[in-house]
Amino acid sequence: MIKFSFALMLICLFTLPARAQEKLRPKIGITLSGGGAKGLAHIGILKAIDSAGLKIDYITGTSMGAIVGALYAVGYSGNDIEKIGREIDWDQLFGNQISFQTLSMEEKEQYSRFAIELPYVNNKIKLQTGVIKGQELNLKFAELFFHVSDVRRFDQFRIPFKCMATDLETGNLVVLDTGNITTALRATMAIPSIFSAVSVGDKKLVDGGVVRNFPVKNVKEMGADIVIGSNVSMGLSAKDKIANPIDVILQMAFFKEASDFKEEKPLTDYYIYQPMEKYNMGSFTSSDAILDDGLETGRAWYPVFKKLADSLNALPAPTVTHTDSIRNHTVFITGYEVTGLKKTSPIFFVHLMNFDDHKTYTAAQINRSIRRAYGSRYYSNISYSLEHSSPDTARIVFNVEENPGTHLKAGLYYTRFRGINVNLNLTSRDLFIHNSRSMVSLSIGESIQLEAEHLQYLGRIKNIAFQTGFRLDNFEVNSYSDYKAEGSYKQNYSQLFLNFQNSGNNKVAAGIGSAFEYVHYSPAIRSAAEIKGNFTNFKSYVYMKYNSQNQIFYPTRGLKMNLELAHVYDQRPRITQLQNGQPVNNTLNFGNYSRVYFDGSLFTALGKKFNFFTGLQAGINFTDQQNELNDFLIGGINGSFRNQIKFAGLQEATVNSSSAGVLQLGLRYNPINNVYLIGRVNGLVKDFIGNSASLSGLSGYALTFAYRTPIGPLELSAMYSDQSRRLQSYVLFGITF
């Protein structure tokens, strides 16, 4: 017995110091609250912690606090997270709109031509819910957390992590610490009525801020002895701040959380309150300002963190390293599965992506493939998960939601040239044949336009297509003499066409085609010299299109270009020339001729508020076989009809020429959201081709006030030409046909 007691004493003597040593350093936990855009201010706290050399042992968070905390937990430094926060396009990330850059070239030409787009399902129009599905959000999370896609327990991250969600059925708190981290983050930030609920197991989850926006208890349960809590939430809104139904819903949703916060706050050892009164949950357009405010708060708290870190430096601490190679992580894909398809096949989906298995991929490469399929507009949401057999080897599962096959669209626009018009469209996919898009568009008003088209995808990766269709344009245009309108005539233009097109990627397309054209002229307001009647011709052409603009309206960067080389032949005229109402000898020549048309614009950002843009447009009819009815019509700020050369300073069709080229320089200023001031200066040369060439030039200017409304741009312009010597107005509202 004595021997046993002595042995026990020796064991205690040798083990107690080790255990004591383990407990000498307290565990440091950090809790980051939800708060929408305001949660970006947490980044400043993390940067201060990094600068102080303070090592964190545990992290908990809710909503945006969970996103920031998860990034830190998986290895991003405070500097890394700040860079991410400043680079992200938040409007795109949280929008339901498809990024213009991801669209296929076929879809770019139709994108945003209509302000309203409603699915037509089961013979009924389905109203839009307004709920954000988060396509770009899913892809961004998948990219940022790609290097930990094999980790299913969040306590195995570099820093153990938990985030909060709410069970939609019971209203109870759900602590997420296992599974797919991207799914967990989508759940913790799924604000009711704004984001769609997220399925995790047999539960439907929404924002954890509904019940626990500041999860200090949870970081204490993980083992934290000292808790740093950063809170950007101001709690429930005052009654005078509740201004709309969404505010009411959010206020009611967070009643329970307000009570919970009273218990959470006292558990912090270092409580950091960042109210951010100037901002709200949706202030992502002010992301840079919020980040700057958070950095300022971090600098104020740095001495506190430094003092704490220095007091713990002599004690054992977790080794946490931040790496710059996170985004270069690769995974070898051994196979794939596609779930959720009903109308399209897995083969069609994979071919649209141009995706092959048994290859090594980065997250960015997988996302590019997904965006290629998403840009076809066959699908409303695409996400993926990886089923790992090893850290660097996995099977990929694509989770797909298909768009309804048919959509009804509508829009409205006004220009002085066209008048006021209503645009209607019906678009259906796979209506007649699989892998196709059929549509008909009609513009009704002071002028009439009609367009019907069938596009059929061909080839393994669906990058080849043929298009066939019909276009009709009926409008009235002034005739001018010495820059003064003296008459007008109605022009009816019809075209039947067939194209074969190859789209190598979502930026470039090239093709060949032929068209039959019919043009009819009739005087509307009589003038001394008149033309009436019609003619037909055939046109064969090759073309190339390029579009890398970052958005359809007011792009800040990118190049848009359209080049067409054509030969016009078999012209058949039935034209009468009149002088003072009496027929005269016909002097028009309707022989064969060739033509070149080019239209290009380049946009360059000059800081965050200014953009410089250049434009070059040219049209050349070669040989004297063509006549003035095939001339290019010069004038107008926006493209609107056949053979138009845009020129700021003159109204549409003020001048005509068989050869014309215009160079435009412009500067755009964006002082506040959706408001733009635009200055343009352009010069034009004309009549430089043919035996009757008489080179001459034009110069013009325009100053535009623009406002981007929900149904399209509103532009009010004042313009002047040195040749006409007239100050003129130009108005655009809505989206032209």
Side-chain angles (χ1 to χ4, degrees):
M1 186 67 183
I2 295 174
K3 289 183 178 179
F4 175 78
S5 300
F6 181 75
L8 185 61
M9 289 175 62
L10 286 176
I11 293 172
C12 292
L13 287 172
F14 282 104
T15 59
L16 278 175
R19 292 177 179 174
Q21 181 74 1
E22 289 177 7
K23 294 184 178 181
L24 279 177
R25 182 191 180 274
K27 302 292 185 181
I28 310 296
I30 186 168
T31 294
L32 306 176
S33 78
K38 297 186 292 183
L40 294 170
H42 295 313
I43 298 171
I45 304 303
L46 297 182
K47 287 194 65 175
I49 287 172
D50 283 349
S51 298
L54 183 64
K55 306 301 182 183
I56 302 299
D57 298 272
Y58 308 108
I59 301 176
T60 60
T62 300
S63 196
M64 182 58 77
I67 296 170
V68 173
L71 289 169
Y72 197 72
V74 301
Y76 292 93
S77 68
N79 281 331
D80 295 332
I81 303 171
E82 180 192 4
K83 186 177 180 181
I84 292 168
R86 294 190 188 277
E87 289 178 346
I88 285 177
D89 184 338
W90 295 100
D91 286 339
Q92 177 183 325
L93 199 69
F94 291 124
N96 273 336
Q97 287 290 326
I98 299 173
S99 168
F100 185 71
Q101 292 177 299
T102 69
L103 290 166
S104 66
M105 284 295 290
E106 295 84 5
E107 295 298 328
K108 283 182 178 180
E109 297 181 2
Q110 298 297 322
Y111 184 72
S112 287
R113 286 177 60 180
F114 304 91
I116 300 171
E117 183 172 332
L118 299 174
Y120 189 74
V121 182
N122 297 327
N123 299 317
K124 295 180 181 179
I125 296 174
K126 184 178 179 181
L127 297 178
Q128 295 174 320
T129 65
V131 174
I132 298 172
K133 291 186 176 181
Q135 170 63 38
E136 282 298 319
L137 194 63
N138 291 336
L139 296 184
K140 177 56 69 173
F141 282 169
E143 179 182 333
L144 292 173
F145 296 95
F146 192 66
H147 66 294
V148 292
S149 59
D150 62 316
V151 180
R152 288 295 181 265
R153 289 178 50 187
F154 303 166
D155 59 1
Q156 295 179 347
F157 291 158
R158 287 190 171 92
I159 304 173
F161 170 79
K162 292 183 179 183
C163 62
M164 309 298 121
T166 304
D167 189 322
L168 188 59
E169 182 180 5
T170 65
N172 294 330
L173 177 70
V174 177
V175 180
L176 298 173
D177 56 6
T178 60
N180 187 309
I181 182 63
T182 63
T183 303
L185 294 178
R186 283 284 288 109
T188 189
M189 62 167 293
I191 301 171
S193 79
I194 298 177
F195 289 94
S196 57
V198 177
S199 296
V200 177
D202 59 350
K203 294 183 173 66
K204 284 280 190 180
L205 304 183
V206 295
D207 193 339
V210 172
V211 291
R212 184 162 293 172
N213 196 51
F214 194 50
V216 183
K217 289 179 183 177
N218 301 93
V219 82
K220 295 283 286 187
E221 291 169 358
M222 293 173 74
D225 301 298
I226 298 173
V227 177
I228 300 169
S230 178
N231 179 30
V232 297
S233 175
M234 292 185 290
L236 296 175
S237 301
K239 61 183 181 180
D240 59 332
K241 300 293 185 180
I242 303 172
N244 55 63
I246 296 296
D247 290 340
V248 174
I249 293 171
L250 293 176
Q251 183 84 342
M252 295 174 65
F254 291 102
F255 278 155
K256 190 173 181 180
E257 191 281 326
S259 176
D260 182 80
F261 176 76
K262 295 177 181 179
E263 299 177 11
E264 302 288 334
K265 179 184 173 182
L267 300 177
T268 60
D269 298 279
Y270 299 91
Y271 179 68
I272 306 167
Y273 180 45
Q274 303 186 76
M276 303 285 165
E277 292 95 342
K278 297 180 290 184
Y279 314 106
N280 56 48
M281 295 175 63
S283 297
F284 287 99
T285 55
S286 302
S287 57
D288 283 339
I290 294 172
L291 280 163
D292 291 339
D293 287 351
L295 292 175
E296 185 175 343
T297 303
R299 285 191 288 269
W301 276 85
Y302 168 80
V304 178
F305 299 149
K306 181 63 175 171
K307 183 178 179 180
L308 178 61
D310 289 344
S311 70
L312 302 176
N313 276 346
L315 305 174
T319 301
V320 179
T321 58
H322 302 286
T323 176
D324 295 328
S325 61
I326 289 176
R327 295 193 182 188
N328 297 323
H329 187 80
T330 61
V331 172
F332 183 80
I333 303 299
T334 58
Y336 68 85
E337 180 184 351
V338 186
T339 66
L341 296 180
K342 297 177 181 178
K343 303 173 198 172
T344 58
S345 68
I347 293 176
F348 177 71
F349 173 76
V350 172
H351 284 179
L352 276 179
M353 290 198 302
N354 194 18
F355 182 86
D356 294 308
D357 56 1
H358 291 87
K359 288 178 61 177
T360 297
Y361 287 90
T362 64
Q365 290 170 329
I366 296 175
N367 285 357
R368 277 197 295 270
S369 292
I370 289 175
R371 289 188 178 106
R372 182 185 177 96
Y374 189 66
S376 72
R377 306 211 64 186
Y378 274 91
Y379 310 102
S380 62
N381 200 271
I382 306 171
S383 61
Y384 72 91
S385 58
L386 296 175
E387 297 177 348
H388 284 265
S389 55
S390 73
D392 300 322
T393 305
R395 181 172 173 268
I396 191 167
V397 179
F398 297 103
N399 308 295
V400 182
E401 293 180 33
E402 293 172 310
N403 265 324
T406 301
H407 284 82
L408 299 174
K409 309 175 188 180
L412 180 74
Y413 80 94
Y414 169 84
T415 65
R416 191 169 82 170
F417 177 74
R418 289 283 187 179
I420 188 166
N421 289 264
V422 175
N423 298 338
L424 303 172
N425 173 273
L426 175 66
T427 297
S428 188
R429 301 180 191 278
D430 298 344
L431 179 63
F432 304 111
I433 309 172
H434 286 303
N435 308 334
S436 67
R437 183 200 68 194
S438 304
M439 70 173 192
V440 58
S441 301
L442 176 65
S443 181
I444 307 171
E446 296 182 45
S447 63
I448 296 181
Q449 294 170 278
L450 174 67
E451 184 178 62
E453 179 189 286
H454 178 80
L455 181 146
Q456 184 70 52
Y457 288 105
L458 305 169
R460 177 190 172 276
I461 59 174
K462 315 305 175 190
N463 63 329
I464 299 174
F466 79 82
Q467 298 167 285
T468 185
F470 172 75
R471 299 187 181 109
L472 180 147
D473 191 5
N474 184 345
F475 59 92
E476 186 174 318
V477 62
N478 289 332
S479 58
Y480 288 82
S481 177
D482 194 26
Y483 304 102
K484 295 180 181 178
E486 61 172 11
S488 71
Y489 60 88
K490 294 181 180 178
Q491 183 181 141
N492 295 325
Y493 171 73
S494 303
Q495 182 192 69
L496 283 169
F497 65 91
L498 175 67
N499 299 337
F500 282 89
Q501 179 171 290
N502 186 313
S503 305
N505 53 49
N506 57 4
K507 294 181 181 179
V508 63
I512 60 174
S514 288
F516 172 78
E517 298 180 315
Y518 169 88
V519 186
H520 183 272
Y521 296 89
S522 60
I525 298 177
R526 309 303 297 259
S527 61
E530 296 174 347
I531 293 173
K532 68 177 183 179
N534 62 75
F535 69 91
T536 61
N537 64 249
F538 286 89
K539 180 174 73 171
S540 294
Y541 47 86
V542 297
Y543 62 89
M544 188 190 76
K545 301 175 183 179
Y546 183 89
N547 195 331
S548 63
Q549 291 179 185
N550 62 329
Q551 55 195 39
I552 185 68
F553 299 121
Y554 311 115
T556 58
R557 62 183 184 276
L559 171 66
K560 182 180 181 181
M561 182 179 68
N562 183 14
L563 172 66
E564 180 184 282
L565 309 177
H567 184 67
V568 180
Y569 55 96
D570 196 19
Q571 295 198 82
R572 299 189 180 188
R574 290 168 290 277
I575 294 292
T576 301
Q577 290 184 267
L578 304 171
Q579 186 69 39
N580 297 318
Q582 299 298 315
V584 297
N585 291 332
N586 198 327
T587 60
L588 300 176
N589 191 334
F590 285 91
N592 301 342
Y593 67 98
S594 298
R595 69 187 300 163
V596 174
Y597 175 79
F598 177 84
D599 188 7
S601 300
L602 176 65
F603 300 88
T604 306
L606 302 176
K608 293 186 177 181
K609 296 291 186 179
F610 288 91
N611 282 95
F612 177 73
F613 58 92
T614 60
L616 177 63
Q617 190 180 12
I620 304 172
N621 291 329
F622 293 95
T623 81
D624 287 334
Q625 298 298 307
Q626 70 91 35
N627 60 75
E628 64 185 56
L629 299 184
N630 291 314
D631 277 356
F632 295 96
L633 304 179
I634 299 164
I637 294 177
N638 298 281
S640 182
F641 56 90
R642 165 181 175 263
N643 289 350
Q644 182 184 2
I645 298 291
K646 300 186 295 290
F647 185 81
L650 300 174
Q651 301 292 343
E652 287 86 349
T654 300
V655 177
N656 65 287
S657 175
S658 64
S659 55
V662 60
L663 175 66
Q664 183 176 108
L665 305 177
L667 185 66
R668 183 172 68 237
Y669 174 53
N670 178 209
I672 57 176
N673 291 341
N674 298 319
V675 174
Y676 303 88
L677 298 175
I678 307 168
R680 297 180 177 90
V681 57
N682 48 207
L684 178 143
V685 292
K686 64 183 184 72
D687 300 329
F688 51 83
I689 293 292
N691 296 330
S692 59
S694 56
L695 182 66
S696 60
L698 300 171
S699 53
Y701 320 89
L703 182 63
T704 301
F705 168 84
Y707 179 71
R708 187 163 58 182
T709 76
I711 63 171
L714 169 64
E715 295 186 355
L716 307 174
S717 301
M719 56 184 192
Y720 180 82
S721 170
D722 292 319
Q723 286 68 42
S724 70
R725 298 180 180 178
R726 294 179 61 196
L727 183 65
Q728 302 184 74
S729 63
Y730 195 92
V731 180
L732 166 71
F733 178 62
I735 305 165
T736 55
F737 187 81

